[in-house]
Structures are given as C-alpha cells and as structure tokens.
Amino acid sequence: IKPCDSILPEPDILYIHIRNGDVARDFQSEHAQPPCLYYYNIIQAFDKIHIVESDQKPINICSDYIKSLFSSKIVKYTSSSSILETSTVQNTITTQQEKKIKYHTHACLILKAKNIALTMSSFGITLAMLNEDITFLAQIDSTNPKARRSSEWRRRLKDMEFDFDQMTQVFTNFIQYQTLANTTALFSGNSSDRITNNYFLHYPPNQLSVRSSCVSRNCNFLTNRTIRSTHMR
C-alpha cells in the first residue's frame, strides 16, 4: 500500500479497467469480457476518462474502440517520481522495472480512484473492494448465460462480488450491468471472427440489463438513460 501514497487520482475522472491478454477476446466462458456497449454507456456520464490496462496481447477490442470514439475525453496518468525512484538503479530503468512501475500504478489507481468501471477481472474487483474512497462504481457480469448454469457459478458469484444487495450496502452509488444473450446463438451463421467482432462492437442494447442504487447525478443519469447502441460498423 505504501507506494500508493503519492498516487492521487483526479476525483472527476472515470477510471476504466480493461482486461488485455489471455481472455481479452473471450465472450463464451465464465471469464467472458464485456461488450463495448457497457463502456460506451457509462462513459456518457463523465467528461474525462482514464483507461487502466496492461500491455499484454491481444489487446481488448474495446480498448481501441474507446480510444477511437472518445479520444477527446481520455487523459493520461504520469507515474509518480517516488515510484520511479524506488524502482531504478543509477537512473536506468529496465523493461522488467518499467512493467513493475506500471503494475503498481494501475493497482494504486484502482485502489484510490473515486469513479471506477470494472471489467471481468479479479485484479480490479479485489482492489476496488479495498478502496475506501469510491463514490461511483460500475460493474458488469458478462459471463456467458450458458456458463451461469454450471456448478462453478455459485463460487464465481461470490468471488466476483456479483451479489447486488450486498454491494449496495457498501457502495452508495453502484450500478450493475448483465449480459443476457447467448452470443453464439445470437450471431449464428457467422464465422468465429465475425461472432467475436459482433459481440464486442454490435451487442444488442435490449440484451444488456441494468440495476442500480444511486444518489449522485452521474449514477442517476445512467440509471434513467436508455441503453444505446454503440453505432460502430
């Protein structure tokens, strides 16, 4: 926790956690990532956003989507000098040290940010649960509906903190989305790549449910707002 002392996320920025790497384009399992529609709608309530993501490949489709559509809203966070100093030897930063700095910065941002949009990742969820400064929290259960029938789902429900009633007891402004569609069936007849593209960029708004417990203007805005299409081709 100590390296986070000098990390001061801006209070009016929405910090968006996006998962890159091994499950970045997963839409069929218990670790399925959210369609871009989720991010698109939450971003509408904020003037400034910051994406918290790793450099792992492949890149999540929604990462490029957000950077393209909301470039004017994106602000960058510069790693604090105190973290740099603890990770350098004779002012030389190795690739491994640079990765460590980024990892620490990402962890600290989620641990201290006031506005957070989580993804399907235990990294972000665990840190958010330790964050005592959150004023707005968005979460999504994008597990494939078929996977929710598995025996592992009850454990998963607890591990990923999907209990809505429990979350609203902790967070004053909490909004939770859930995907409803069986993606393979929804986009049947297309190639695997086409199904992936359709899921992330063309997920139907009427297949994304939302429920919330809100006090703030931003949270109420999202609750009362009709979920809109991403309008991506």
Side-chain angles (χ1 to χ4, degrees), residues 109-123:
L109 286 174
I110 298 176
L111 190 62
K112 298 184 71 176
K114 291 186 177 297
N115 307 297
I116 302 174
L118 294 171
T119 186
M120 290 283 283
S121 168
S122 57
F123 173 81

Side-chain angles (χ1 to χ4, degrees), residues 179-210:
T179 54
L180 306 176
N182 180 330
T183 308
T184 304
L186 186 68
F187 299 115
S188 60
N190 292 297
S191 66
S192 177
D193 288 345
R194 185 67 175 174
I195 291 175
T196 301
N197 185 71
N198 281 337
Y199 169 79
F200 284 104
L201 297 178
H202 302 283
Y203 194 86
N206 64 354
Q207 294 297 314
L208 188 66
S209 70
V210 59

Side-chain angles (χ1 to χ4, degrees), residues 70-220:
F70 298 104
S71 59
S72 63
K73 290 190 174 189
I74 295 176
V75 295
K76 294 183 179 181
Y77 186 86
T78 304
S79 298
S80 82
S81 59
S82 61
I83 291 182
L84 286 171
E85 288 167 4
T86 60
S87 304
T88 58
V89 178
Q90 296 180 348
N91 297 321
T92 301
I93 305 175
T94 66
T95 301
Q96 191 62 34
Q97 287 169 332
E98 185 176 4
K99 287 181 179 179
K100 185 176 180 180
I101 293 167
K102 287 182 179 180
Y103 182 83
H104 282 171
T105 302
H106 293 168
C108 291
L109 286 174
I110 298 176
L111 190 62
K112 298 184 71 176
K114 291 186 177 297
N115 307 297
I116 302 174
L118 294 171
T119 186
M120 290 283 283
S121 168
S122 57
F123 173 81
I125 290 172
T126 300
L127 290 168
M129 294 305 103
L130 295 172
N131 185 332
E132 298 179 348
D133 299 316
I134 291 178
T135 57
F136 170 83
L137 180 66
Q139 179 194 54
I140 184 167
D141 170 13
S142 50
T143 306
N144 188 299
K146 290 180 66 176
R148 292 187 191 124
R149 304 171 192 167
S150 70
S151 58
E152 287 289 309
W153 177 240
R154 287 188 180 181
R155 178 189 63 79
R156 187 74 172 168
L157 184 69
K158 182 177 180 180
D159 289 349
M160 299 297 281
E161 303 291 351
F162 286 143
D163 188 317
F164 179 79
D165 293 333
Q166 190 175 74
M167 293 292 278
T168 55
Q169 290 175 21
V170 178
F171 301 103
T172 304
N173 292 292
F174 175 68
I175 187 164
Q176 185 182 70
Y177 293 80
Q178 185 180 59
T179 54
L180 306 176
N182 180 330
T183 308
T184 304
L186 186 68
F187 299 115
S188 60
N190 292 297
S191 66
S192 177
D193 288 345
R194 185 67 175 174
I195 291 175
T196 301
N197 185 71
N198 281 337
Y199 169 79
F200 284 104
L201 297 178
H202 302 283
Y203 194 86
N206 64 354
Q207 294 297 314
L208 188 66
S209 70
V210 59
R211 53 182 177 170
S212 65
S213 175
C214 296
V215 175
S216 74
R217 179 186 62 82
N218 284 356
C219 191
N220 279 314

